[in-house]
Amino acid sequence: FPSHDINGSLVLFWTKDHLAKGLGTSENQNELLKLGYYTGSMYFTIEDADSSFYWLYFTLNHPATLPRTRVKCRSMLANCYSNLNQMDSSIALKQVNIEYYASRKDTTNFCVRIHSIEIERF
């Protein structure tokens, strides 16, 4: 659904309702958390930053969130902070992802993330 009319859309209402009723039940939690992540990503503009933060942190902080979804959420939040010129917050989130990839010995993603932080610092 398009981001420019998400606030008033019936789709967003149904999404919120589905997430509220579904999390912690026998429904597929991974799919629900992906829905929360993608809902947050729909707000990915400077004008809707608060809504983006709400939905992405909602997904990031849910106990059932998969590690890969957490990485995506941290990346999206870091980009939001970067766009708002809040580099300390952005780099802090990216640093957590670097530590995650280091713990998994994922050298490819580790190097890409390090490079991303170095670019952001300048």
Side-chain angles (χ1 to χ4, degrees):
F1 34 82
S3 60
H4 64 273
D5 67 354
I6 194 170
N7 286 313
S9 75
L10 194 55
V11 173
L12 180 61
F13 172 80
W14 287 333
T15 301
K16 288 179 179 178
D17 190 57
H18 189 52
L19 284 166
K21 290 177 180 173
L23 287 171
T25 70
S26 61
E27 287 193 46
N28 187 328
Q29 296 298 292
N30 296 341
E31 293 305 313
L32 284 168
L33 289 165
K34 284 182 198 172
L35 181 60
Y37 166 75
Y38 287 116
T39 301
S41 70
M42 291 296 103
Y43 287 109
F44 187 41
T45 65
I46 290 174
E47 295 77 18
D48 291 323
D50 288 344
S51 295
S52 185
F53 293 153
Y54 171 81
W55 283 101
L56 293 170
Y57 276 117
F58 171 81
T59 302
L60 180 68
N61 293 326
H62 194 275
T65 304
L66 297 172
R68 189 171 158 196
T69 305
R70 288 179 189 272
V71 168
K72 287 183 178 180
C73 286
R74 283 191 295 260
S75 299
M76 182 68 76
L77 286 164
N79 290 337
C80 288
Y81 281 122
S82 179
N83 284 350
L84 293 168
N85 204 27
Q86 297 180 31
M87 296 308 173
D88 288 347
S89 297
S90 178
I91 289 172
L93 286 162
K94 290 183 176 182
Q95 185 65 43
V96 177
N97 280 352
I98 285 173
E99 291 163 9
Y100 169 77
Y101 286 123
S103 72
R104 294 180 57 99
K105 298 183 176 23
D106 183 341
T107 55
T108 301
N109 279 307
F110 179 83
C111 291
V112 168
R113 300 294 171 151
I114 286 284
H115 182 67
S116 173
I117 284 183
E118 292 304 318
I119 289 173
E120 198 162 283
R121 286 188 172 146
F122 292 105

